[in-house]
Amino acid sequence: MAARTKARKRALELLFEAEQRGVNVGTLLEERIAAPTTQHPLPEYAVQLVRGVLEHWGEINETLTTYSQGWALERMAAVDRAALRLGTWEIVWNDQVPDGVAISEAVALVQDMSTDDSPRFVNGLLARVLEIKPTLV
């Protein structure tokens, strides 16, 4: 597994864990940086991803809510929400990752970790984010 793919998975796990435990994502991130819970510290790209999502949290959530036809953010599977937040940040605010790669990686994450319908849903919503990207930056 490529380094950035592993970092995305770790970032998704962190976002998911914070939501499930009802704790602040930023606080959990700083705790994990200071005292990793595994023998490997968080990859730098995972930290960058989570910090990027946190920096644009409101904009990301508003975008996902606006363009997820018929799906309130709260109704989405928690893993899908995390993957969509990461994918949206990579598409809109990270010029170092090609947009198609960001979408493919988010789809791969939910394919392995969520429902059978998740890959299609995540792909469609992130494709819409890509279409409207010029209006978001």
Side-chain angles (χ1 to χ4, degrees), residues 66-99:
T66 300
Y67 294 99
S68 62
Q69 301 172 340
W71 282 91
L73 202 56
E74 302 77 36
R75 281 192 58 216
M76 295 176 196
V79 171
D80 296 0
R81 267 194 307 273
L84 286 163
R85 286 174 175 141
L86 294 169
T88 300
W89 180 80
E90 282 192 305
I91 291 167
V92 179
W93 289 282
N94 187 355
D95 295 332
Q96 296 176 347
V97 174
D99 297 333

PDB file of all heavy atoms in Angstrom, residues 66-99:
ATOM      1  N   THR A  66     -25.107  20.590   0.702  1.00  0.00           N
ATOM      2  CA  THR A  66     -25.758  21.225  -0.439  1.00  0.00           C
ATOM      3  C   THR A  66     -25.873  20.283  -1.635  1.00  0.00           C
ATOM      4  O   THR A  66     -26.899  20.258  -2.314  1.00  0.00           O
ATOM      5  CB  THR A  66     -24.992  22.497  -0.854  1.00  0.00           C
ATOM      6  OG1 THR A  66     -24.968  23.396   0.252  1.00  0.00           O
ATOM      7  CG2 THR A  66     -25.633  23.185  -2.048  1.00  0.00           C
ATOM      8  N   TYR A  67     -24.851  19.499  -1.893  1.00  0.00           N
ATOM      9  CA  TYR A  67     -24.810  18.722  -3.132  1.00  0.00           C
ATOM     10  C   TYR A  67     -25.089  17.233  -2.965  1.00  0.00           C
ATOM     11  O   TYR A  67     -25.044  16.484  -3.937  1.00  0.00           O
ATOM     12  CB  TYR A  67     -23.475  18.952  -3.843  1.00  0.00           C
ATOM     13  CG  TYR A  67     -23.378  20.383  -4.293  1.00  0.00           C
ATOM     14  CD1 TYR A  67     -22.660  21.316  -3.550  1.00  0.00           C
ATOM     15  CD2 TYR A  67     -24.060  20.818  -5.413  1.00  0.00           C
ATOM     16  CE1 TYR A  67     -22.615  22.644  -3.944  1.00  0.00           C
ATOM     17  CE2 TYR A  67     -24.025  22.146  -5.808  1.00  0.00           C
ATOM     18  CZ  TYR A  67     -23.299  23.054  -5.065  1.00  0.00           C
ATOM     19  OH  TYR A  67     -23.268  24.365  -5.449  1.00  0.00           O
ATOM     20  N   SER A  68     -25.410  16.773  -1.781  1.00  0.00           N
ATOM     21  CA  SER A  68     -25.739  15.358  -1.577  1.00  0.00           C
ATOM     22  C   SER A  68     -27.240  15.179  -1.669  1.00  0.00           C
ATOM     23  O   SER A  68     -27.898  14.896  -0.678  1.00  0.00           O
ATOM     24  CB  SER A  68     -25.223  14.865  -0.227  1.00  0.00           C
ATOM     25  OG  SER A  68     -25.850  15.596   0.810  1.00  0.00           O
ATOM     26  N   GLN A  69     -27.769  15.292  -2.839  1.00  0.00           N
ATOM     27  CA  GLN A  69     -29.200  15.297  -3.103  1.00  0.00           C
ATOM     28  C   GLN A  69     -29.962  14.273  -2.261  1.00  0.00           C
ATOM     29  O   GLN A  69     -29.786  13.066  -2.407  1.00  0.00           O
ATOM     30  CB  GLN A  69     -29.439  15.025  -4.577  1.00  0.00           C
ATOM     31  CG  GLN A  69     -28.780  16.047  -5.461  1.00  0.00           C
ATOM     32  CD  GLN A  69     -28.843  15.681  -6.927  1.00  0.00           C
ATOM     33  OE1 GLN A  69     -29.035  14.541  -7.294  1.00  0.00           O
ATOM     34  NE2 GLN A  69     -28.669  16.683  -7.767  1.00  0.00           N
ATOM     35  N   GLY A  70     -30.795  14.802  -1.375  1.00  0.00           N
ATOM     36  CA  GLY A  70     -31.659  13.952  -0.579  1.00  0.00           C
ATOM     37  C   GLY A  70     -31.007  13.290   0.620  1.00  0.00           C
ATOM     38  O   GLY A  70     -31.641  12.491   1.298  1.00  0.00           O
ATOM     39  N   TRP A  71     -29.737  13.580   0.872  1.00  0.00           N
ATOM     40  CA  TRP A  71     -29.042  12.958   2.003  1.00  0.00           C
ATOM     41  C   TRP A  71     -28.516  14.028   2.946  1.00  0.00           C
ATOM     42  O   TRP A  71     -27.611  14.773   2.582  1.00  0.00           O
ATOM     43  CB  TRP A  71     -27.864  12.112   1.515  1.00  0.00           C
ATOM     44  CG  TRP A  71     -28.293  10.805   0.979  1.00  0.00           C
ATOM     45  CD1 TRP A  71     -28.611  10.520  -0.318  1.00  0.00           C
ATOM     46  CD2 TRP A  71     -28.482   9.602   1.720  1.00  0.00           C
ATOM     47  NE1 TRP A  71     -28.984   9.218  -0.431  1.00  0.00           N
ATOM     48  CE2 TRP A  71     -28.915   8.619   0.811  1.00  0.00           C
ATOM     49  CE3 TRP A  71     -28.337   9.264   3.052  1.00  0.00           C
ATOM     50  CZ2 TRP A  71     -29.198   7.326   1.202  1.00  0.00           C
ATOM     51  CZ3 TRP A  71     -28.618   7.967   3.436  1.00  0.00           C
ATOM     52  CH2 TRP A  71     -29.038   7.020   2.516  1.00  0.00           C
ATOM     53  N   ALA A  72     -29.075  14.077   4.132  1.00  0.00           N
ATOM     54  CA  ALA A  72     -28.530  14.969   5.152  1.00  0.00           C
ATOM     55  C   ALA A  72     -27.192  14.393   5.595  1.00  0.00           C
ATOM     56  O   ALA A  72     -26.998  13.171   5.604  1.00  0.00           O
ATOM     57  CB  ALA A  72     -29.483  15.052   6.343  1.00  0.00           C
ATOM     58  N   LEU A  73     -26.266  15.251   5.944  1.00  0.00           N
ATOM     59  CA  LEU A  73     -24.936  14.813   6.374  1.00  0.00           C
ATOM     60  C   LEU A  73     -25.039  13.799   7.510  1.00  0.00           C
ATOM     61  O   LEU A  73     -24.323  12.802   7.527  1.00  0.00           O
ATOM     62  CB  LEU A  73     -24.122  16.041   6.798  1.00  0.00           C
ATOM     63  CG  LEU A  73     -22.612  15.930   6.803  1.00  0.00           C
ATOM     64  CD1 LEU A  73     -22.062  15.515   5.458  1.00  0.00           C
ATOM     65  CD2 LEU A  73     -21.995  17.244   7.234  1.00  0.00           C
ATOM     66  N   GLU A  74     -25.956  14.022   8.430  1.00  0.00           N
ATOM     67  CA  GLU A  74     -26.113  13.150   9.584  1.00  0.00           C
ATOM     68  C   GLU A  74     -26.630  11.761   9.205  1.00  0.00           C
ATOM     69  O   GLU A  74     -26.440  10.806   9.956  1.00  0.00           O
ATOM     70  CB  GLU A  74     -27.083  13.767  10.608  1.00  0.00           C
ATOM     71  CG  GLU A  74     -26.675  15.137  11.112  1.00  0.00           C
ATOM     72  CD  GLU A  74     -26.968  16.257  10.116  1.00  0.00           C
ATOM     73  OE1 GLU A  74     -28.004  16.201   9.399  1.00  0.00           O
ATOM     74  OE2 GLU A  74     -26.145  17.179  10.030  1.00  0.00           O
ATOM     75  N   ARG A  75     -27.305  11.633   8.075  1.00  0.00           N
ATOM     76  CA  ARG A  75     -27.841  10.335   7.635  1.00  0.00           C
ATOM     77  C   ARG A  75     -26.804   9.479   6.935  1.00  0.00           C
ATOM     78  O   ARG A  75     -26.990   8.276   6.777  1.00  0.00           O
ATOM     79  CB  ARG A  75     -29.014  10.552   6.677  1.00  0.00           C
ATOM     80  CG  ARG A  75     -30.299  10.887   7.378  1.00  0.00           C
ATOM     81  CD  ARG A  75     -31.490  10.819   6.436  1.00  0.00           C
ATOM     82  NE  ARG A  75     -31.622   9.509   5.820  1.00  0.00           N
ATOM     83  CZ  ARG A  75     -32.038   9.315   4.572  1.00  0.00           C
ATOM     84  NH1 ARG A  75     -32.334  10.327   3.793  1.00  0.00           N
ATOM     85  NH2 ARG A  75     -32.141   8.089   4.089  1.00  0.00           N
ATOM     86  N   MET A  76     -25.728  10.092   6.476  1.00  0.00           N
ATOM     87  CA  MET A  76     -24.692   9.333   5.774  1.00  0.00           C
ATOM     88  C   MET A  76     -23.966   8.428   6.759  1.00  0.00           C
ATOM     89  O   MET A  76     -23.856   8.745   7.942  1.00  0.00           O
ATOM     90  CB  MET A  76     -23.663  10.288   5.152  1.00  0.00           C
ATOM     91  CG  MET A  76     -24.205  11.161   4.074  1.00  0.00           C
ATOM     92  SD  MET A  76     -22.923  12.316   3.529  1.00  0.00           S
ATOM     93  CE  MET A  76     -23.931  13.509   2.657  1.00  0.00           C
ATOM     94  N   ALA A  77     -23.464   7.318   6.258  1.00  0.00           N
ATOM     95  CA  ALA A  77     -22.643   6.447   7.098  1.00  0.00           C
ATOM     96  C   ALA A  77     -21.426   7.244   7.574  1.00  0.00           C
ATOM     97  O   ALA A  77     -20.870   8.047   6.823  1.00  0.00           O
ATOM     98  CB  ALA A  77     -22.193   5.221   6.306  1.00  0.00           C
ATOM     99  N   ALA A  78     -21.031   7.029   8.811  1.00  0.00           N
ATOM    100  CA  ALA A  78     -19.921   7.797   9.397  1.00  0.00           C
ATOM    101  C   ALA A  78     -18.631   7.639   8.600  1.00  0.00           C
ATOM    102  O   ALA A  78     -17.877   8.604   8.414  1.00  0.00           O
ATOM    103  CB  ALA A  78     -19.709   7.394  10.850  1.00  0.00           C
ATOM    104  N   VAL A  79     -18.368   6.448   8.100  1.00  0.00           N
ATOM    105  CA  VAL A  79     -17.161   6.230   7.287  1.00  0.00           C
ATOM    106  C   VAL A  79     -17.261   7.038   5.996  1.00  0.00           C
ATOM    107  O   VAL A  79     -16.285   7.652   5.559  1.00  0.00           O
ATOM    108  CB  VAL A  79     -16.969   4.726   6.982  1.00  0.00           C
ATOM    109  CG1 VAL A  79     -15.863   4.506   5.973  1.00  0.00           C
ATOM    110  CG2 VAL A  79     -16.673   3.962   8.264  1.00  0.00           C
ATOM    111  N   ASP A  80     -18.446   7.064   5.395  1.00  0.00           N
ATOM    112  CA  ASP A  80     -18.636   7.837   4.167  1.00  0.00           C
ATOM    113  C   ASP A  80     -18.406   9.320   4.418  1.00  0.00           C
ATOM    114  O   ASP A  80     -17.756  10.004   3.624  1.00  0.00           O
ATOM    115  CB  ASP A  80     -20.050   7.626   3.616  1.00  0.00           C
ATOM    116  CG  ASP A  80     -20.315   6.199   3.186  1.00  0.00           C
ATOM    117  OD1 ASP A  80     -19.407   5.350   3.299  1.00  0.00           O
ATOM    118  OD2 ASP A  80     -21.452   5.921   2.743  1.00  0.00           O
ATOM    119  N   ARG A  81     -18.942   9.824   5.526  1.00  0.00           N
ATOM    120  CA  ARG A  81     -18.742  11.243   5.878  1.00  0.00           C
ATOM    121  C   ARG A  81     -17.260  11.563   5.994  1.00  0.00           C
ATOM    122  O   ARG A  81     -16.783  12.566   5.467  1.00  0.00           O
ATOM    123  CB  ARG A  81     -19.415  11.564   7.217  1.00  0.00           C
ATOM    124  CG  ARG A  81     -20.797  12.089   7.121  1.00  0.00           C
ATOM    125  CD  ARG A  81     -21.261  12.701   8.445  1.00  0.00           C
ATOM    126  NE  ARG A  81     -21.106  11.815   9.592  1.00  0.00           N
ATOM    127  CZ  ARG A  81     -22.010  10.926   9.984  1.00  0.00           C
ATOM    128  NH1 ARG A  81     -23.128  10.773   9.310  1.00  0.00           N
ATOM    129  NH2 ARG A  81     -21.799  10.196  11.053  1.00  0.00           N
ATOM    130  N   ALA A  82     -16.526  10.713   6.671  1.00  0.00           N
ATOM    131  CA  ALA A  82     -15.090  10.943   6.850  1.00  0.00           C
ATOM    132  C   ALA A  82     -14.371  10.926   5.509  1.00  0.00           C
ATOM    133  O   ALA A  82     -13.548  11.805   5.215  1.00  0.00           O
ATOM    134  CB  ALA A  82     -14.497   9.904   7.800  1.00  0.00           C
ATOM    135  N   ALA A  83     -14.673   9.943   4.674  1.00  0.00           N
ATOM    136  CA  ALA A  83     -14.028   9.847   3.359  1.00  0.00           C
ATOM    137  C   ALA A  83     -14.399  11.040   2.478  1.00  0.00           C
ATOM    138  O   ALA A  83     -13.553  11.571   1.748  1.00  0.00           O
ATOM    139  CB  ALA A  83     -14.420   8.539   2.675  1.00  0.00           C
ATOM    140  N   LEU A  84     -15.645  11.463   2.548  1.00  0.00           N
ATOM    141  CA  LEU A  84     -16.086  12.618   1.759  1.00  0.00           C
ATOM    142  C   LEU A  84     -15.396  13.903   2.215  1.00  0.00           C
ATOM    143  O   LEU A  84     -15.020  14.742   1.394  1.00  0.00           O
ATOM    144  CB  LEU A  84     -17.605  12.774   1.849  1.00  0.00           C
ATOM    145  CG  LEU A  84     -18.404  11.753   1.048  1.00  0.00           C
ATOM    146  CD1 LEU A  84     -19.855  11.724   1.518  1.00  0.00           C
ATOM    147  CD2 LEU A  84     -18.316  12.061  -0.443  1.00  0.00           C
ATOM    148  N   ARG A  85     -15.219  14.051   3.509  1.00  0.00           N
ATOM    149  CA  ARG A  85     -14.520  15.233   4.016  1.00  0.00           C
ATOM    150  C   ARG A  85     -13.073  15.244   3.543  1.00  0.00           C
ATOM    151  O   ARG A  85     -12.555  16.274   3.092  1.00  0.00           O
ATOM    152  CB  ARG A  85     -14.597  15.281   5.539  1.00  0.00           C
ATOM    153  CG  ARG A  85     -15.967  15.671   6.050  1.00  0.00           C
ATOM    154  CD  ARG A  85     -16.088  15.576   7.558  1.00  0.00           C
ATOM    155  NE  ARG A  85     -17.384  16.073   8.003  1.00  0.00           N
ATOM    156  CZ  ARG A  85     -18.098  15.525   8.972  1.00  0.00           C
ATOM    157  NH1 ARG A  85     -17.646  14.462   9.619  1.00  0.00           N
ATOM    158  NH2 ARG A  85     -19.255  16.034   9.314  1.00  0.00           N
ATOM    159  N   LEU A  86     -12.406  14.093   3.635  1.00  0.00           N
ATOM    160  CA  LEU A  86     -11.020  14.011   3.171  1.00  0.00           C
ATOM    161  C   LEU A  86     -10.934  14.262   1.669  1.00  0.00           C
ATOM    162  O   LEU A  86     -10.088  15.027   1.205  1.00  0.00           O
ATOM    163  CB  LEU A  86     -10.429  12.640   3.506  1.00  0.00           C
ATOM    164  CG  LEU A  86     -10.248  12.323   4.985  1.00  0.00           C
ATOM    165  CD1 LEU A  86      -9.904  10.852   5.174  1.00  0.00           C
ATOM    166  CD2 LEU A  86      -9.189  13.213   5.605  1.00  0.00           C
ATOM    167  N   GLY A  87     -11.804  13.609   0.912  1.00  0.00           N
ATOM    168  CA  GLY A  87     -11.792  13.779  -0.540  1.00  0.00           C
ATOM    169  C   GLY A  87     -12.087  15.202  -0.965  1.00  0.00           C
ATOM    170  O   GLY A  87     -11.440  15.738  -1.873  1.00  0.00           O
ATOM    171  N   THR A  88     -13.041  15.832  -0.304  1.00  0.00           N
ATOM    172  CA  THR A  88     -13.371  17.226  -0.634  1.00  0.00           C
ATOM    173  C   THR A  88     -12.186  18.130  -0.360  1.00  0.00           C
ATOM    174  O   THR A  88     -11.843  18.988  -1.185  1.00  0.00           O
ATOM    175  CB  THR A  88     -14.612  17.694   0.161  1.00  0.00           C
ATOM    176  OG1 THR A  88     -15.721  16.856  -0.183  1.00  0.00           O
ATOM    177  CG2 THR A  88     -14.943  19.146  -0.141  1.00  0.00           C
ATOM    178  N   TRP A  89     -11.525  17.937   0.771  1.00  0.00           N
ATOM    179  CA  TRP A  89     -10.357  18.772   1.068  1.00  0.00           C
ATOM    180  C   TRP A  89      -9.264  18.569   0.016  1.00  0.00           C
ATOM    181  O   TRP A  89      -8.683  19.537  -0.468  1.00  0.00           O
ATOM    182  CB  TRP A  89      -9.797  18.483   2.468  1.00  0.00           C
ATOM    183  CG  TRP A  89      -8.616  19.354   2.738  1.00  0.00           C
ATOM    184  CD1 TRP A  89      -8.636  20.664   3.134  1.00  0.00           C
ATOM    185  CD2 TRP A  89      -7.234  19.013   2.576  1.00  0.00           C
ATOM    186  NE1 TRP A  89      -7.348  21.151   3.227  1.00  0.00           N
ATOM    187  CE2 TRP A  89      -6.472  20.153   2.889  1.00  0.00           C
ATOM    188  CE3 TRP A  89      -6.573  17.846   2.194  1.00  0.00           C
ATOM    189  CZ2 TRP A  89      -5.086  20.162   2.831  1.00  0.00           C
ATOM    190  CZ3 TRP A  89      -5.190  17.859   2.137  1.00  0.00           C
ATOM    191  CH2 TRP A  89      -4.462  19.011   2.460  1.00  0.00           C
ATOM    192  N   GLU A  90      -9.014  17.325  -0.359  1.00  0.00           N
ATOM    193  CA  GLU A  90      -7.964  17.070  -1.350  1.00  0.00           C
ATOM    194  C   GLU A  90      -8.320  17.686  -2.705  1.00  0.00           C
ATOM    195  O   GLU A  90      -7.458  18.245  -3.376  1.00  0.00           O
ATOM    196  CB  GLU A  90      -7.708  15.567  -1.510  1.00  0.00           C
ATOM    197  CG  GLU A  90      -6.880  14.990  -0.389  1.00  0.00           C
ATOM    198  CD  GLU A  90      -6.375  13.600  -0.680  1.00  0.00           C
ATOM    199  OE1 GLU A  90      -7.212  12.713  -0.989  1.00  0.00           O
ATOM    200  OE2 GLU A  90      -5.160  13.386  -0.598  1.00  0.00           O
ATOM    201  N   ILE A  91      -9.574  17.598  -3.108  1.00  0.00           N
ATOM    202  CA  ILE A  91      -9.992  18.141  -4.400  1.00  0.00           C
ATOM    203  C   ILE A  91      -9.899  19.664  -4.409  1.00  0.00           C
ATOM    204  O   ILE A  91      -9.352  20.256  -5.335  1.00  0.00           O
ATOM    205  CB  ILE A  91     -11.434  17.703  -4.739  1.00  0.00           C
ATOM    206  CG1 ILE A  91     -11.472  16.199  -5.028  1.00  0.00           C
ATOM    207  CG2 ILE A  91     -11.989  18.494  -5.920  1.00  0.00           C
ATOM    208  CD1 ILE A  91     -12.871  15.608  -5.062  1.00  0.00           C
ATOM    209  N   VAL A  92     -10.422  20.284  -3.377  1.00  0.00           N
ATOM    210  CA  VAL A  92     -10.570  21.745  -3.389  1.00  0.00           C
ATOM    211  C   VAL A  92      -9.318  22.470  -2.894  1.00  0.00           C
ATOM    212  O   VAL A  92      -8.936  23.496  -3.464  1.00  0.00           O
ATOM    213  CB  VAL A  92     -11.814  22.168  -2.565  1.00  0.00           C
ATOM    214  CG1 VAL A  92     -11.966  23.690  -2.556  1.00  0.00           C
ATOM    215  CG2 VAL A  92     -13.074  21.503  -3.127  1.00  0.00           C
ATOM    216  N   TRP A  93      -8.648  21.957  -1.876  1.00  0.00           N
ATOM    217  CA  TRP A  93      -7.585  22.732  -1.244  1.00  0.00           C
ATOM    218  C   TRP A  93      -6.184  22.132  -1.343  1.00  0.00           C
ATOM    219  O   TRP A  93      -5.242  22.737  -0.854  1.00  0.00           O
ATOM    220  CB  TRP A  93      -7.922  22.986   0.224  1.00  0.00           C
ATOM    221  CG  TRP A  93      -9.049  23.953   0.368  1.00  0.00           C
ATOM    222  CD1 TRP A  93      -8.973  25.318   0.244  1.00  0.00           C
ATOM    223  CD2 TRP A  93     -10.423  23.660   0.643  1.00  0.00           C
ATOM    224  NE1 TRP A  93     -10.225  25.860   0.423  1.00  0.00           N
ATOM    225  CE2 TRP A  93     -11.126  24.871   0.676  1.00  0.00           C
ATOM    226  CE3 TRP A  93     -11.116  22.469   0.867  1.00  0.00           C
ATOM    227  CZ2 TRP A  93     -12.491  24.934   0.911  1.00  0.00           C
ATOM    228  CZ3 TRP A  93     -12.477  22.531   1.100  1.00  0.00           C
ATOM    229  CH2 TRP A  93     -13.154  23.759   1.123  1.00  0.00           C
ATOM    230  N   ASN A  94      -6.035  20.962  -1.920  1.00  0.00           N
ATOM    231  CA  ASN A  94      -4.698  20.369  -2.026  1.00  0.00           C
ATOM    232  C   ASN A  94      -4.317  20.210  -3.497  1.00  0.00           C
ATOM    233  O   ASN A  94      -4.728  19.253  -4.151  1.00  0.00           O
ATOM    234  CB  ASN A  94      -4.633  19.022  -1.312  1.00  0.00           C
ATOM    235  CG  ASN A  94      -3.227  18.468  -1.259  1.00  0.00           C
ATOM    236  OD1 ASN A  94      -2.303  19.025  -1.829  1.00  0.00           O
ATOM    237  ND2 ASN A  94      -3.063  17.371  -0.563  1.00  0.00           N
ATOM    238  N   ASP A  95      -3.522  21.124  -3.987  1.00  0.00           N
ATOM    239  CA  ASP A  95      -3.108  21.104  -5.391  1.00  0.00           C
ATOM    240  C   ASP A  95      -2.067  20.037  -5.692  1.00  0.00           C
ATOM    241  O   ASP A  95      -1.739  19.800  -6.849  1.00  0.00           O
ATOM    242  CB  ASP A  95      -2.570  22.480  -5.801  1.00  0.00           C
ATOM    243  CG  ASP A  95      -3.640  23.554  -5.753  1.00  0.00           C
ATOM    244  OD1 ASP A  95      -4.825  23.214  -5.929  1.00  0.00           O
ATOM    245  OD2 ASP A  95      -3.293  24.724  -5.532  1.00  0.00           O
ATOM    246  N   GLN A  96      -1.522  19.394  -4.668  1.00  0.00           N
ATOM    247  CA  GLN A  96      -0.486  18.382  -4.879  1.00  0.00           C
ATOM    248  C   GLN A  96      -1.060  17.020  -5.258  1.00  0.00           C
ATOM    249  O   GLN A  96      -0.315  16.139  -5.686  1.00  0.00           O
ATOM    250  CB  GLN A  96       0.371  18.237  -3.617  1.00  0.00           C
ATOM    251  CG  GLN A  96       1.137  19.493  -3.285  1.00  0.00           C
ATOM    252  CD  GLN A  96       1.891  19.359  -1.981  1.00  0.00           C
ATOM    253  OE1 GLN A  96       1.669  18.449  -1.201  1.00  0.00           O
ATOM    254  NE2 GLN A  96       2.793  20.290  -1.742  1.00  0.00           N
ATOM    255  N   VAL A  97      -2.363  16.834  -5.099  1.00  0.00           N
ATOM    256  CA  VAL A  97      -3.003  15.566  -5.427  1.00  0.00           C
ATOM    257  C   VAL A  97      -3.943  15.794  -6.611  1.00  0.00           C
ATOM    258  O   VAL A  97      -4.827  16.650  -6.539  1.00  0.00           O
ATOM    259  CB  VAL A  97      -3.806  15.023  -4.214  1.00  0.00           C
ATOM    260  CG1 VAL A  97      -4.588  13.771  -4.584  1.00  0.00           C
ATOM    261  CG2 VAL A  97      -2.885  14.762  -3.043  1.00  0.00           C
ATOM    262  N   PRO A  98      -3.758  15.032  -7.689  1.00  0.00           N
ATOM    263  CA  PRO A  98      -4.705  15.152  -8.808  1.00  0.00           C
ATOM    264  C   PRO A  98      -6.124  14.832  -8.346  1.00  0.00           C
ATOM    265  O   PRO A  98      -6.339  13.931  -7.523  1.00  0.00           O
ATOM    266  CB  PRO A  98      -4.203  14.112  -9.821  1.00  0.00           C
ATOM    267  CG  PRO A  98      -2.759  13.897  -9.469  1.00  0.00           C
ATOM    268  CD  PRO A  98      -2.681  14.076  -7.972  1.00  0.00           C
ATOM    269  N   ASP A  99      -7.083  15.579  -8.867  1.00  0.00           N
ATOM    270  CA  ASP A  99      -8.473  15.425  -8.432  1.00  0.00           C
ATOM    271  C   ASP A  99      -8.979  13.992  -8.617  1.00  0.00           C
ATOM    272  O   ASP A  99      -9.663  13.453  -7.747  1.00  0.00           O
ATOM    273  CB  ASP A  99      -9.375  16.401  -9.188  1.00  0.00           C
ATOM    274  CG  ASP A  99      -9.020  17.851  -8.892  1.00  0.00           C
ATOM    275  OD1 ASP A  99      -8.492  18.124  -7.790  1.00  0.00           O
ATOM    276  OD2 ASP A  99      -9.264  18.711  -9.760  1.00  0.00           O
TER     277      ASP A  99
END
